mmCIF file of all heavy atoms in Angstrom:
data_model
loop_
_atom_site.group_PDB
_atom_site.id
_atom_site.type_symbol
_atom_site.label_atom_id
_atom_site.label_comp_id
_atom_site.label_asym_id
_atom_site.label_seq_id
_atom_site.Cartn_x
_atom_site.Cartn_y
_atom_site.Cartn_z
ATOM 1 N N ASN A 286 4.161 47.542 24.328
ATOM 2 C CA ASN A 286 3.314 48.004 25.437
ATOM 3 C C ASN A 286 3.983 47.895 26.797
ATOM 4 O O ASN A 286 4.073 48.895 27.530
ATOM 5 C CB ASN A 286 1.979 47.247 25.428
ATOM 6 C CG ASN A 286 1.074 47.691 24.295
ATOM 7 O OD1 ASN A 286 1.352 48.675 23.610
ATOM 8 N ND2 ASN A 286 -0.015 46.976 24.093
ATOM 9 N N PRO A 287 4.488 46.718 27.213
ATOM 10 C CA PRO A 287 5.129 46.651 28.538
ATOM 11 C C PRO A 287 6.414 47.462 28.611
ATOM 12 O O PRO A 287 6.733 48.006 29.667
ATOM 13 C CB PRO A 287 5.408 45.154 28.718
ATOM 14 C CG PRO A 287 5.445 44.594 27.347
ATOM 15 C CD PRO A 287 4.471 45.396 26.551
ATOM 16 N N LEU A 288 7.145 47.555 27.492
ATOM 17 C CA LEU A 288 8.379 48.353 27.509
ATOM 18 C C LEU A 288 8.071 49.830 27.677
ATOM 19 O O LEU A 288 8.755 50.546 28.422
ATOM 20 C CB LEU A 288 9.170 48.114 26.220
ATOM 21 C CG LEU A 288 9.680 46.689 25.993
ATOM 22 C CD1 LEU A 288 10.456 46.594 24.693
ATOM 23 C CD2 LEU A 288 10.556 46.231 27.159
ATOM 24 N N ILE A 289 7.036 50.314 26.998
ATOM 25 C CA ILE A 289 6.655 51.727 27.115
ATOM 26 C C ILE A 289 6.224 52.047 28.540
ATOM 27 O O ILE A 289 6.640 53.049 29.130
ATOM 28 C CB ILE A 289 5.531 52.062 26.113
ATOM 29 C CG1 ILE A 289 6.065 52.033 24.681
ATOM 30 C CG2 ILE A 289 4.924 53.434 26.409
ATOM 31 C CD1 ILE A 289 4.990 52.158 23.616
ATOM 32 N N TYR A 290 5.399 51.175 29.119
ATOM 33 C CA TYR A 290 4.891 51.441 30.464
ATOM 34 C C TYR A 290 5.948 51.240 31.543
ATOM 35 O O TYR A 290 5.879 51.865 32.599
ATOM 36 C CB TYR A 290 3.687 50.541 30.750
ATOM 37 C CG TYR A 290 2.405 51.051 30.163
ATOM 38 C CD1 TYR A 290 1.815 50.424 29.070
ATOM 39 C CD2 TYR A 290 1.771 52.184 30.682
ATOM 40 C CE1 TYR A 290 0.633 50.896 28.521
ATOM 41 C CE2 TYR A 290 0.595 52.661 30.131
ATOM 42 C CZ TYR A 290 0.031 52.014 29.056
ATOM 43 O OH TYR A 290 -1.124 52.491 28.514
ATOM 44 N N SER A 291 6.921 50.364 31.310
ATOM 45 C CA SER A 291 7.933 50.102 32.344
ATOM 46 C C SER A 291 9.088 51.091 32.277
ATOM 47 O O SER A 291 9.511 51.643 33.293
ATOM 48 C CB SER A 291 8.455 48.671 32.215
ATOM 49 O OG SER A 291 9.066 48.474 30.948
ATOM 50 N N LEU A 292 9.614 51.339 31.073
ATOM 51 C CA LEU A 292 10.780 52.219 30.947
ATOM 52 C C LEU A 292 10.446 53.659 31.259
ATOM 53 O O LEU A 292 11.307 54.435 31.675
ATOM 54 C CB LEU A 292 11.361 52.104 29.525
ATOM 55 C CG LEU A 292 11.934 50.732 29.147
ATOM 56 C CD1 LEU A 292 12.418 50.739 27.705
ATOM 57 C CD2 LEU A 292 13.060 50.332 30.090
ATOM 58 N N ARG A 293 9.181 54.068 31.054
ATOM 59 C CA ARG A 293 8.774 55.447 31.304
ATOM 60 C C ARG A 293 8.070 55.598 32.654
ATOM 61 O O ARG A 293 7.494 56.647 32.932
ATOM 62 C CB ARG A 293 7.832 55.919 30.188
ATOM 63 C CG ARG A 293 8.471 55.953 28.814
ATOM 64 C CD ARG A 293 7.422 56.178 27.758
ATOM 65 N NE ARG A 293 6.762 57.462 27.913
ATOM 66 C CZ ARG A 293 7.128 58.582 27.314
ATOM 67 N NH1 ARG A 293 8.156 58.567 26.500
ATOM 68 N NH2 ARG A 293 6.476 59.710 27.496
ATOM 69 N N ASN A 294 8.125 54.573 33.488
ATOM 70 C CA ASN A 294 7.375 54.580 34.737
ATOM 71 C C ASN A 294 8.323 54.302 35.901
ATOM 72 O O ASN A 294 8.904 53.214 36.000
ATOM 73 C CB ASN A 294 6.262 53.526 34.675
ATOM 74 C CG ASN A 294 5.252 53.702 35.775
ATOM 75 O OD1 ASN A 294 5.610 53.782 36.942
ATOM 76 N ND2 ASN A 294 3.984 53.760 35.413
ATOM 77 N N LYS A 295 8.453 55.261 36.809
ATOM 78 C CA LYS A 295 9.357 55.112 37.945
ATOM 79 C C LYS A 295 8.843 54.075 38.930
ATOM 80 O O LYS A 295 9.641 53.384 39.582
ATOM 81 C CB LYS A 295 9.536 56.460 38.645
ATOM 82 C CG LYS A 295 10.256 57.509 37.802
ATOM 83 C CD LYS A 295 10.419 58.808 38.571
ATOM 84 C CE LYS A 295 11.135 59.860 37.710
ATOM 85 N NZ LYS A 295 11.286 61.135 38.441
ATOM 86 N N ASP A 296 7.522 53.958 39.077
ATOM 87 C CA ASP A 296 6.965 52.989 40.024
ATOM 88 C C ASP A 296 7.295 51.566 39.607
ATOM 89 O O ASP A 296 7.662 50.727 40.441
ATOM 90 C CB ASP A 296 5.445 53.160 40.114
ATOM 91 C CG ASP A 296 5.047 54.490 40.721
ATOM 92 O OD1 ASP A 296 5.872 55.055 41.465
ATOM 93 O OD2 ASP A 296 3.931 54.974 40.453
ATOM 94 N N VAL A 297 7.164 51.265 38.309
ATOM 95 C CA VAL A 297 7.449 49.911 37.831
ATOM 96 C C VAL A 297 8.933 49.603 37.954
ATOM 97 O O VAL A 297 9.321 48.509 38.397
ATOM 98 C CB VAL A 297 6.980 49.748 36.375
ATOM 99 C CG1 VAL A 297 7.381 48.383 35.828
ATOM 100 C CG2 VAL A 297 5.471 49.917 36.275
ATOM 101 N N MET A 298 9.790 50.554 37.591
ATOM 102 C CA MET A 298 11.224 50.330 37.708
ATOM 103 C C MET A 298 11.640 50.179 39.168
ATOM 104 O O MET A 298 12.512 49.370 39.500
ATOM 105 C CB MET A 298 11.991 51.487 37.054
ATOM 106 C CG MET A 298 11.750 51.633 35.556
ATOM 107 S SD MET A 298 12.108 50.128 34.616
ATOM 108 C CE MET A 298 13.882 50.002 34.855
ATOM 109 N N GLY A 299 10.998 50.952 40.054
ATOM 110 C CA GLY A 299 11.276 50.805 41.481
ATOM 111 C C GLY A 299 10.862 49.441 42.003
ATOM 112 O O GLY A 299 11.575 48.826 42.803
ATOM 113 N N ALA A 300 9.708 48.955 41.557
ATOM 114 C CA ALA A 300 9.255 47.622 41.963
ATOM 115 C C ALA A 300 10.213 46.550 41.464
ATOM 116 O O ALA A 300 10.500 45.576 42.178
ATOM 117 C CB ALA A 300 7.846 47.375 41.424
ATOM 118 N N LEU A 301 10.719 46.720 40.257
ATOM 119 C CA LEU A 301 11.673 45.753 39.707
ATOM 120 C C LEU A 301 12.957 45.734 40.522
ATOM 121 O O LEU A 301 13.506 44.664 40.829
ATOM 122 C CB LEU A 301 11.966 46.100 38.251
ATOM 123 C CG LEU A 301 12.795 45.096 37.448
ATOM 124 C CD1 LEU A 301 12.092 43.759 37.370
ATOM 125 C CD2 LEU A 301 13.066 45.627 36.047
ATOM 126 N N ARG A 302 13.433 46.914 40.914
ATOM 127 C CA ARG A 302 14.648 46.981 41.743
ATOM 128 C C ARG A 302 14.414 46.334 43.109
ATOM 129 O O ARG A 302 15.305 45.647 43.631
ATOM 130 C CB ARG A 302 15.088 48.440 41.903
ATOM 131 C CG ARG A 302 15.791 49.010 40.680
ATOM 132 C CD ARG A 302 16.466 50.334 41.016
ATOM 133 N NE ARG A 302 15.474 51.366 41.321
ATOM 134 C CZ ARG A 302 14.966 52.193 40.425
ATOM 135 N NH1 ARG A 302 15.353 52.109 39.152
ATOM 136 N NH2 ARG A 302 14.087 53.110 40.777
ATOM 137 N N ARG A 303 13.247 46.560 43.691
ATOM 138 C CA ARG A 303 12.963 45.963 44.998
ATOM 139 C C ARG A 303 12.907 44.446 44.919
ATOM 140 O O ARG A 303 13.361 43.738 45.831
ATOM 141 C CB ARG A 303 11.645 46.523 45.547
ATOM 142 C CG ARG A 303 11.747 47.946 46.062
ATOM 143 C CD ARG A 303 10.499 48.364 46.813
ATOM 144 N NE ARG A 303 9.350 48.506 45.926
ATOM 145 C CZ ARG A 303 9.049 49.611 45.256
ATOM 146 N NH1 ARG A 303 9.839 50.677 45.354
ATOM 147 N NH2 ARG A 303 7.984 49.681 44.491
ATOM 148 N N VAL A 304 12.364 43.918 43.840
ATOM 149 C CA VAL A 304 12.311 42.462 43.669
ATOM 150 C C VAL A 304 13.725 41.899 43.543
ATOM 151 O O VAL A 304 14.063 40.877 44.159
ATOM 152 C CB VAL A 304 11.461 42.099 42.442
ATOM 153 C CG1 VAL A 304 11.636 40.623 42.077
ATOM 154 C CG2 VAL A 304 9.995 42.387 42.698
ATOM 155 N N PHE A 305 14.581 42.578 42.756
ATOM 156 C CA PHE A 305 15.966 42.127 42.610
ATOM 157 C C PHE A 305 16.699 42.184 43.948
ATOM 158 O O PHE A 305 17.497 41.297 44.278
ATOM 159 C CB PHE A 305 16.697 42.974 41.572
ATOM 160 C CG PHE A 305 16.461 42.524 40.156
ATOM 161 C CD1 PHE A 305 16.007 43.413 39.194
ATOM 162 C CD2 PHE A 305 16.694 41.213 39.779
ATOM 163 C CE1 PHE A 305 15.778 43.005 37.891
ATOM 164 C CE2 PHE A 305 16.473 40.792 38.480
ATOM 165 C CZ PHE A 305 16.013 41.685 37.537
ATOM 166 N N THR A 306 16.440 43.234 44.736
ATOM 167 C CA THR A 306 17.094 43.370 46.034
ATOM 168 C C THR A 306 16.675 42.250 46.972
ATOM 169 O O THR A 306 17.514 41.649 47.672
ATOM 170 C CB THR A 306 16.740 44.732 46.657
ATOM 171 O OG1 THR A 306 17.147 45.780 45.777
ATOM 172 C CG2 THR A 306 17.440 44.905 48.001
ATOM 173 N N ARG A 307 15.360 41.944 46.993
ATOM 174 C CA ARG A 307 14.885 40.858 47.856
ATOM 175 C C ARG A 307 15.461 39.513 47.419
ATOM 176 O O ARG A 307 15.819 38.679 48.257
ATOM 177 C CB ARG A 307 13.352 40.806 47.834
ATOM 178 C CG ARG A 307 12.684 41.910 48.636
ATOM 179 C CD ARG A 307 11.240 41.533 48.975
ATOM 180 N NE ARG A 307 10.417 41.458 47.776
ATOM 181 C CZ ARG A 307 9.683 42.457 47.312
ATOM 182 N NH1 ARG A 307 9.698 43.633 47.936
ATOM 183 N NH2 ARG A 307 8.938 42.306 46.236
#
Side-chain angles (χ1 to χ4, degrees):
N286 287 351
L288 297 181
I289 290 172
Y290 279 108
S291 61
L292 295 178
R293 297 170 63 93
N294 194 308
K295 294 181 180 179
D296 294 336
V297 175
M298 297 304 294
L301 188 61
R302 283 193 293 268
R303 285 190 291 273
V304 168
F305 277 126
T306 302
R307 285 200 294 266

